[in-house]
Amino acid sequence: MIGAGFAELLAAAQDGDEEAFTQLWLDANSALLRYLWVTAPEAAEDIAADTWVYAIRGLPRFRGDEAAWRAWLFTTARRRTVDQARRRSRLADVPIQDLPASRLPAVADPADVALEHISTRAVIALLARLPPLQAEVILLRVVAGLDTEAVARLVRRSPGAVRVAAHRGLRKLAQILTEAGVTL
Amino acid sequence: MTGRRVSGGDMPNFSRRTGQDASGIPDPAFAALLAAGTPPADPSAPMQHVADALAALRAAPASDEAAGKTAALAQFRQHVGVSSHPIRSRRRRPTLLSPLLSAKAAAVAAVAVVGLGGVATAAFANALPSAAQKFAHDTIGAPSPHASRNAHPGDNANAGHSGTPVGPNASGPAAFGLCTAYSNATQHGTAAQKAVAFRNLEKAAGGAANVASFCASVTHPGASATPGSGAPTSHPTGEPTSHPTGAPTSHPTGAPTSLPTGPPSNG
């Protein structure tokens, strides 16, 4: 998240300032990718690029703060993800336990995760082991920086359901990490 | 910790469903972590794991996350960049003022277009009084009053045609647009005031001081109760220079009035 300087950066980018746009892009693109690596691992980069094509066209007319900006980008990315999933008719939401082992991300052996220098990609791989809604809600809260209400609108669930999914997901994450024998 | 075992568990694990007992972390702690990213002052080990994991998710962009930058910048240049928005590219201007100024400029342009719109149609039909037609010729490229019709020299008596640019008849239909432009120029412009049209407006009003009262009496051309003043004194001659293209929007209805005679030929 950019924070206090966001309004100024946005105005400059809307004015054609490439440096300002690059900052907006770097900040939001990494967030988009972290989200998409979990929700659309096979097409994350493509969907991120598609999202920017749409966002850049709408940029001059965009009005709002950083939360609105992030919500707009992630709504677009999510829509693209759903379209993509329909096209590929991928596996529907099934509990992680029911997935064949070959479908699981390769990296995610929790024992490999060194907590002192825990890497972003390692956590993403762990999140991919959670039920899809839990993983998505955590990513939208933490990576996209959206509040519970915005996430609820985005995933079309109630704020209560979003809260429950996030807490369950985090609890499971804690459990996975603890059970992996990583102790502090 | 008696949670899920990594391998060989033949019993389903129900502890995750009941929640809290699996990690010992209460919901409010998760809520705080999600919202602010700050773990409690004295976190349990599982809580610390989660806090570290979320911190990693929030980490600064990594180099491999910038792969699409070139393509995005190319897109940006095409749609938002300086080349396509030359007026908006001047960054020295205070950021807040720019939308206001653009809006104002757009409003002035809109008024000019509205003021001229109806007139322009008539101008291209070469159907305006000569002085106005002359103005239209000079400003929007409509035919000159002398070009394609038999001119009546008397119509042009007030134009003072002497090779120098001449403004519109400020008491005619263009007065509304001129008044709008003039009031804007007196507030915001300097060079624009030197335009011929403004001098003519001053002249028509009897001095700059009278422009306000003069313009107050000018009505919007579209709202005028007495549009125009009599029929045009001449009519266009010659063939139209353009022809309609595309299919007609209406089609004949009813049966044909005559019927074919004789059998169709077998092709």
Side-chain angles (χ1 to χ4, degrees):
Chain A
M1 299 286 279
I2 287 163
F6 175 79
E8 201 177 325
L9 267 187
L10 176 70
Q14 288 177 323
D15 232 20
D17 186 322
E18 289 184 14
E19 203 174 308
F21 171 75
T22 304
Q23 284 190 53
L24 287 179
W25 183 87
L26 267 179
D27 171 70
N29 193 59
S30 67
L32 282 171
L33 283 175
R34 290 169 193 184
Y35 169 76
L36 291 167
W37 278 326
V38 175
T39 61
E42 290 150 44
E45 283 80 5
D46 288 348
I47 294 175
D50 276 0
T51 302
W52 282 110
V53 168
Y54 179 86
I56 287 167
R57 290 204 176 122
L59 179 65
R61 294 185 308 279
F62 176 81
R63 297 285 178 272
D65 59 11
E66 189 169 19
W69 164 252
R70 287 296 192 98
W72 185 49
L73 285 177
F74 279 85
T75 303
T76 305
R78 188 173 203 270
R79 215 171 274 152
R80 296 277 185 284
T81 306
V82 171
D83 291 348
Q84 186 93 7
R86 275 199 200 112
R87 273 201 298 277
R88 296 185 175 206
S89 62
R90 290 159 37 132
L91 287 172
D93 289 5
V94 287
I96 193 80
Q97 293 89 340
D98 299 345
L99 280 176
S102 63
R103 292 269 315 152
L104 294 175
V107 195
D109 183 355
D112 291 344
V113 177
L115 281 177
E116 294 81 14
H117 301 290
I118 193 163
S119 83
T120 305
R121 292 300 276 263
V123 179
I124 285 165
L126 289 180
L127 283 179
R129 298 173 53 150
L130 300 180
L133 179 67
Q134 294 179 13
E136 181 173 19
V137 161
I138 290 172
L139 285 162
L140 289 172
R141 293 282 277 116
V142 177
V143 170
L146 304 177
D147 63 20
T148 301
E149 283 67 28
V151 173
R153 279 194 296 277
L154 220 158
V155 301
R156 297 164 189 270
R157 305 285 175 118
S158 71
V162 165
R163 224 168 271 128
V164 167
H167 294 178
R168 281 196 183 148
L170 290 183
R171 189 161 286 128
K172 200 164 294 178
L173 197 59
Q175 192 178 356
I176 293 171
L177 289 169
T178 307
E179 283 174 11
V182 192
T183 50
L184 294 172
Chain B
M1 196 57 59
T2 59
R4 189 173 63 143
R5 296 172 59 149
V6 174
S7 63
D10 51 1
M11 290 277 289
N13 181 356
F14 293 108
S15 63
R16 272 170 293 136
R17 308 190 71 131
T18 55
Q20 217 150 300
D21 57 334
S23 63
I25 303 173
D27 279 348
F30 280 138
L33 200 55
L34 282 168
T38 48
D42 185 19
S44 65
M47 188 65 186
Q48 187 59 55
H49 293 166
V50 175
D52 289 345
L54 298 196
L57 282 180
R58 290 186 171 107
S63 57
D64 64 337
E65 292 166 343
K69 191 170 94 175
T70 312
L73 260 179
Q75 285 271 333
F76 176 76
R77 278 186 204 114
Q78 191 184 339
H79 291 283
V80 195
V82 173
S83 57
S84 64
H85 294 267
I87 297 167
R88 302 196 60 188
S89 67
R90 305 191 193 281
R91 296 222 42 239
R92 291 187 172 199
R93 198 169 53 199
T95 313
L96 254 181
L97 268 177
S98 65
L100 294 175
L101 288 176
S102 320
K104 196 174 284 284
V108 170
V111 165
V113 168
V114 166
L116 283 173
V119 181
T121 313
F124 279 106
N126 208 353
L128 292 178
S130 265
Q133 186 69 39
K134 173 76 172 70
F135 174 55
H137 172 65
D138 291 337
T139 53
I140 60 176
S144 96
H146 311 286
S148 62
R149 61 176 183 162
N150 298 323
H152 295 248
D155 290 351
N156 208 20
N158 294 329
H161 192 68
S162 61
T164 54
V166 175
N169 177 359
S171 60
F176 175 78
L178 283 181
C179 286
T180 308
Y182 184 85
S183 74
N184 196 270
T186 50
Q187 287 170 45
H188 305 289
T190 51
Q193 290 177 6
K194 294 169 187 158
V196 172
F198 297 132
R199 282 212 304 274
N200 280 16
L201 181 61
E202 280 187 346
K203 207 194 299 179
N210 298 330
V211 162
S213 56
F214 174 79
C215 283
S217 67
V218 172
T219 54
H220 190 291
S224 171
T226 57
S229 55
T233 54
S234 66
H235 300 280
T237 59
E239 296 292 322
T241 55
S242 66
H243 300 277
T245 59
T249 53
S250 65
H251 301 278
T253 57
T257 53
S258 67
L259 297 173
T261 58
S265 62
N266 288 329

